[in-house]
Amino acid sequence: MYAHPGVKTDASLPVPETMKAWVLGDPEELKLVEKPVPVPKKAEVLVRVDAIAICATDLDVISSGPPAMIQGGAPFNKNFTPGHEYMGTVAALGPGVDEFRIGDRVTVEIHAGCGQCKRCRMGMYTSCLNYGLNYGDVDKGHRANGFTSDGGFAEFAVNNINTLIKISDEMSDEEATLVVTAGTSMYGLTELGGLIAGESVVVIGPGPIGLLGAAVAKALGASPVILTGTRDNRLKTGLELGADHVVNVTREDPVEAVRRLNGGKGVDYVIECSGAPSAINEAGRMLNRGGKMCLAAFPHDPALIDVAHLVRNNIYIYGIRGEGRSATHRAQAFMSAKRFDATKIHTHTFMMEDLPTALRYARDRVEDAIKVVVKMPRRAAEQELRKAS
Ligand SMILES: [Zn+2]
Ligand SMILES: [Zn+2]
């Protein structure tokens, strides 16, 4: 029996004492193990994970470690469970929690900052100055699930209540896993000022954040929204999500094309989601004087930048880290209102025990995978049963 002082459970949703969880051994080595079900503390709940999407950052964590940081170091061989883009059902309440009920369907954002540093106090909890300090004598209570604390490639996960977003019954499990990705796109636009109705926006790079970036920009009223990339099928998805124009950069110079599509002028905002070494220079030349760019991706090596062009044109550059300032709540509101159909980026589904295959699909973009979602067998069986009855 799962019984802990001050923790509320309910017979309608029995919680076992142990659970199946994937843990990281050496780099690239994932093992499916039996682990104790974690216990929520004050301001935390236990979430039964129902579905989880795979993110490019998961692949980085599993192969090389950062940005994950466990007990002050690399996440390998520490019984650490990765995975951060999950949704599920509230299964137990920590002491004093009355913000949620057992049985609530929720999706999650990643970061619960420490709540006490300067950045957390400003609402910038994804930039918490105490990142990774959640152990031993240096415990500041920071949590970033799947990075500095256990994540969602498991049957259960503990979440701070500030990282939970209630979702409606109409939203499918698969769609709910995409809320945090849309939240990251929303955060980029928030940092750029957020008031983009009637303003021109370019999104560079039709990966998951770029595609949903085009969707969120459109939902916020931006016009025109121009998406650039190299693959026609992804650009087509961008059009379905709300981009007004797309540019295939293998066929057209992106700077010239953007100016042509924007009536001969530079645009007001660029969101850079490609990580290409040339992207900042391109973005700088797409912008009008005084324009702003947000960097949501980065090349792995340092890139050469034409600083003079940026300075002479009063170009603003913003970096974003994660999905801050409650942007995930705003993204969820748009998705609930069906302002765009995020499921267009969901391409593949696997069961939890097939996680290694799911990761391979995401890494190698097998069958042009964009977002790969992993479901729990228990949940899949439940849904089959409901369909049948
Ligand atoms: Zn992610
Ligand atoms: Zn903090």
Side-chain angles (χ1 to χ4, degrees):
M1 260 300 280
Y2 180 89
H4 301 276
V7 175
K8 283 197 194 74
T9 54
D10 191 279
S12 65
L13 216 156
V15 180
E17 262 183 283
T18 64
M19 64 176 186
K20 286 199 171 61
W22 287 94
V23 298
L24 191 53
D26 287 330
E28 299 290 0
E29 188 197 10
L30 281 167
K31 291 176 278 194
L32 189 59
V33 302
E34 198 75 16
K35 233 177 159 173
V37 172
V39 182
K41 294 189 258 190
K42 190 170 170 281
E44 292 177 344
V45 308
L46 181 72
V47 175
R48 184 191 75 181
V49 179
D50 292 332
I52 173 166
I54 293 171
C55 172
T57 316
D58 292 320
L59 305 172
D60 285 344
V61 166
I62 291 165
S63 62
S64 58
M69 196 171 140
I70 300 296
Q71 287 162 356
F76 304 111
N77 297 306
K78 288 174 177 165
N79 209 31
F80 162 64
T81 297
H84 58 274
E85 299 185 355
Y86 54 94
M87 59 74 59
T89 308
V90 173
L93 307 175
V97 171
D98 58 6
E99 292 83 354
F100 291 88
R101 286 192 198 167
I102 291 169
D104 280 347
R105 285 180 80 227
V106 291
T107 190
V108 303
E109 54 183 305
I110 303 153
H111 298 258
C114 71
Q116 53 193 341
C117 78
K118 180 177 174 177
R119 293 293 174 236
C120 280
R121 297 281 293 158
M122 293 167 72
M124 293 176 69
Y125 48 87
T126 60
S127 295
C128 176
L129 301 176
N130 290 318
Y131 184 87
L133 298 187
N134 59 336
Y135 63 95
D137 289 343
V138 295
D139 189 0
K140 297 279 187 187
H142 171 273
R143 285 183 76 92
N145 290 340
F147 294 100
T148 68
S149 46
D150 276 339
F153 292 134
E155 290 183 288
F156 293 90
V158 158
N159 272 78
N160 186 286
I161 54 168
N162 293 331
T163 63
L164 297 176
I165 300 131
K166 278 184 204 171
I167 50 169
S168 68
D169 285 341
E170 286 101 79
M171 189 181 284
S172 69
D173 291 358
E174 290 84 348
E175 183 174 9
T177 65
L178 306 172
V179 168
V180 69
T181 305
T184 304
S185 311
M186 176 70 83
Y187 183 42
L189 288 160
T190 303
E191 290 302 274
L192 290 176
L195 303 170
I196 61 166
E199 307 263 277
S200 43
V201 173
V202 168
V203 179
I204 302 177
I209 293 173
L211 285 167
L212 294 186
V216 171
K218 190 66 189 174
L220 287 167
S223 179
V225 176
I226 305 167
L227 175 67
T228 73
T230 58
R231 277 182 288 177
D232 284 328
N233 54 342
R234 290 218 177 178
L235 293 172
K236 184 171 157 281
T237 304
L239 287 170
E240 291 166 6
L241 279 162
D244 297 299
H245 308 284
V246 291
V247 176
N248 187 319
V249 304
T250 63
R251 290 200 292 271
E252 232 182 323
D253 177 79
V255 177
E256 278 171 26
V258 160
R259 288 185 172 262
R260 174 175 59 76
L261 292 166
N262 194 41
K265 301 189 299 283
V267 296
D268 299 308
Y269 301 98
V270 174
I271 310 178
E272 203 307 272
C273 305
S274 74
S278 59
I280 294 188
N281 290 331
E282 261 168 33
R285 288 185 159 72
M286 287 172 181
L287 286 166
N288 55 28
R289 193 166 294 148
K292 298 178 176 181
M293 72 171 90
C294 174
L295 307 179
F298 49 84
H300 283 278
D301 294 313
L304 206 59
I305 295 170
D306 182 356
V307 176
H309 178 83
L310 303 177
V311 175
R312 287 188 191 121
N313 287 287
N314 207 129
I315 302 289
Y316 298 85
I317 303 185
Y318 295 77
I320 57 160
R321 180 180 163 85
E323 67 309 327
R325 294 197 197 275
S326 301
T328 313
H329 288 258
R330 293 191 289 288
Q332 192 278 139
F334 273 155
M335 287 167 68
S336 283
K338 304 206 184 307
R339 298 287 292 278
F340 55 86
D341 180 5
T343 60
K344 290 193 182 299
I345 69 166
H346 167 220
T347 53
H348 293 79
T349 307
F350 290 91
M351 285 296 137
M352 160 97 152
E353 60 267 27
D354 299 325
L355 180 64
T357 311
L359 291 167
R360 184 171 60 79
Y361 266 66
R363 187 191 314 106
D364 302 339
R365 296 176 181 167
V366 178
E367 297 161 5
D368 202 42
I370 304 180
K371 268 294 184 196
V372 178
V373 173
V374 175
K375 295 201 70 161
M376 299 298 145
R378 160 193 35 72
R379 180 68 173 165
E382 256 175 42
Q383 284 170 334
E384 278 306 307
L385 219 74
R386 203 181 312 155
K387 242 184 269 166
S389 68

Coordinates of all heavy atoms in Angstrom, one line a residue, residues 2 21 23 45 49 72 79 93 104 108 123-124 157 170 224-225 248 255 269 287-288 332-333 370:
Y2 N 0.5 2.2 -0.8 CA 1.2 3.5 -0.9 C 0.5 4.4 0.2 O -0.6 4.9 0.0 CB 0.9 4.1 -2.3 CG 1.5 5.4 -2.6 CD1 2.9 5.6 -3.0 CD2 0.8 6.6 -2.4 CE1 3.4 6.8 -3.4 CE2 1.3 7.8 -2.7 CZ 2.6 7.9 -3.2 OH 3.2 9.2 -3.5
A21 N 9.9 2.3 -14.5 CA 10.5 3.6 -14.9 C 11.7 3.3 -15.7 O 12.4 2.3 -15.5 CB 10.8 4.4 -13.7
V23 N 15.4 4.3 -16.6 CA 16.5 5.1 -15.9 C 17.7 5.1 -16.9 O 17.9 4.2 -17.7 CB 16.9 4.6 -14.5 CG1 15.7 4.7 -13.6 CG2 17.4 3.2 -14.6
V45 N 2.1 17.4 -6.1 CA 1.2 16.3 -6.3 C 1.9 15.2 -7.0 O 2.9 15.4 -7.7 CB -0.1 16.7 -7.1 CG1 -0.7 17.9 -6.6 CG2 0.3 16.9 -8.6
V49 N 1.4 9.3 -15.0 CA 1.7 9.7 -16.4 C 0.9 8.9 -17.4 O 0.8 7.7 -17.3 CB 3.2 9.5 -16.7 CG1 3.6 9.9 -18.1 CG2 4.1 10.3 -15.7
G72 N 24.4 17.8 -8.7 CA 25.5 18.7 -9.1 C 26.4 18.2 -10.2 O 27.5 18.8 -10.5
N79 N 20.3 6.5 -11.3 CA 18.9 6.1 -11.2 C 17.9 7.2 -11.6 O 16.8 7.3 -11.2 CB 18.6 5.7 -9.7 CG 17.5 4.6 -9.6 OD1 17.4 3.8 -10.5 ND2 16.7 4.6 -8.6
L93 N -2.2 13.8 -3.5 CA -1.9 15.2 -3.1 C -0.9 15.3 -2.0 O -1.1 14.6 -1.0 CB -3.2 15.9 -2.7 CG -4.4 15.8 -3.7 CD1 -5.7 16.4 -3.1 CD2 -4.1 16.4 -5.0
D104 N -8.0 14.9 -11.6 CA -7.9 16.0 -12.5 C -6.9 15.6 -13.6 O -5.8 15.0 -13.4 CB -7.3 17.2 -11.8 CG -8.3 18.0 -11.0 OD1 -9.5 17.7 -11.2 OD2 -7.9 18.9 -10.3
V108 N 1.9 19.3 -18.0 CA 2.9 19.9 -17.1 C 3.8 20.9 -17.9 O 4.0 20.7 -19.1 CB 3.8 18.8 -16.5 CG1 3.0 17.8 -15.7 CG2 4.7 18.1 -17.5
G123 N 9.4 36.2 -11.8 CA 8.6 35.3 -12.7 C 9.4 34.6 -13.8 O 8.9 33.9 -14.6
M124 N 10.8 34.7 -13.7 CA 11.6 34.1 -14.7 C 12.1 32.7 -14.1 O 13.4 32.5 -14.0 CB 12.8 35.0 -15.1 CG 12.3 36.2 -15.8 SD 13.7 37.3 -16.1 CE 14.7 36.4 -17.3
A157 N 5.1 10.5 -11.7 CA 6.1 11.6 -11.4 C 5.5 12.6 -10.5 O 4.3 12.8 -10.4 CB 6.4 12.3 -12.8
E170 N -12.0 17.4 -23.6 CA -12.0 17.3 -25.0 C -10.5 17.2 -25.6 O -10.4 16.7 -26.7 CB -12.6 18.6 -25.7 CG -14.1 18.6 -25.6 CD -14.5 19.6 -24.5 OE1 -14.5 20.8 -24.7 OE2 -14.9 19.1 -23.4
P224 N 2.1 39.7 -41.8 CA 2.0 38.3 -42.1 C 2.9 37.5 -41.2 O 3.8 38.0 -40.6 CB 2.5 38.3 -43.6 CG 3.5 39.4 -43.6 CD 3.0 40.5 -42.7
V225 N 2.6 36.1 -41.2 CA 3.5 35.2 -40.5 C 4.2 34.4 -41.7 O 3.5 33.8 -42.5 CB 2.8 34.2 -39.6 CG1 3.7 33.2 -39.0 CG2 2.1 35.0 -38.5
N248 N 11.0 28.1 -49.1 CA 12.0 27.0 -49.0 C 13.4 27.6 -49.4 O 13.6 28.0 -50.5 CB 11.6 25.9 -50.0 CG 12.5 24.7 -49.9 OD1 13.7 24.8 -49.7 ND2 12.0 23.5 -49.9
V255 N 16.3 36.0 -47.2 CA 16.2 37.4 -46.9 C 15.4 38.1 -48.0 O 14.5 38.9 -47.7 CB 17.6 38.1 -46.7 CG1 17.5 39.6 -46.4 CG2 18.3 37.4 -45.5
Y269 N 9.6 41.2 -36.3 CA 10.1 40.1 -35.4 C 10.6 38.9 -36.1 O 10.0 38.5 -37.1 CB 9.0 39.7 -34.4 CG 8.4 40.8 -33.6 CD1 7.2 41.4 -34.0 CD2 9.0 41.2 -32.4 CE1 6.6 42.4 -33.2 CE2 8.5 42.2 -31.7 CZ 7.3 42.8 -32.1 OH 6.8 43.8 -31.3
L287 N 15.1 41.7 -40.6 CA 14.4 42.6 -39.7 C 14.4 44.0 -40.2 O 15.4 44.4 -40.9 CB 15.0 42.6 -38.3 CG 14.7 41.4 -37.4 CD1 15.7 41.3 -36.2 CD2 13.3 41.4 -36.9
N288 N 13.4 44.8 -39.9 CA 13.5 46.3 -40.2 C 14.3 46.9 -39.0 O 14.6 46.3 -38.0 CB 12.1 46.9 -40.3 CG 11.2 46.6 -39.1 OD1 11.7 46.5 -38.0 ND2 9.9 46.6 -39.4
Q332 N -2.0 26.8 -23.7 CA -3.1 25.8 -23.4 C -4.4 26.5 -23.7 O -5.3 25.9 -24.3 CB -3.0 25.3 -22.0 CG -3.9 24.1 -21.7 CD -5.3 24.5 -21.4 OE1 -6.2 23.8 -21.8 NE2 -5.5 25.6 -20.7
A333 N -4.5 27.8 -23.4 CA -5.8 28.5 -23.6 C -6.1 28.5 -25.1 O -7.2 28.3 -25.5 CB -5.7 29.9 -23.0
I370 N 8.1 14.1 -36.6 CA 8.3 15.4 -36.0 C 8.1 15.2 -34.5 O 9.1 15.1 -33.8 CB 7.2 16.4 -36.5 CG1 7.3 16.6 -38.0 CG2 7.6 17.8 -35.8 CD1 6.4 17.6 -38.6

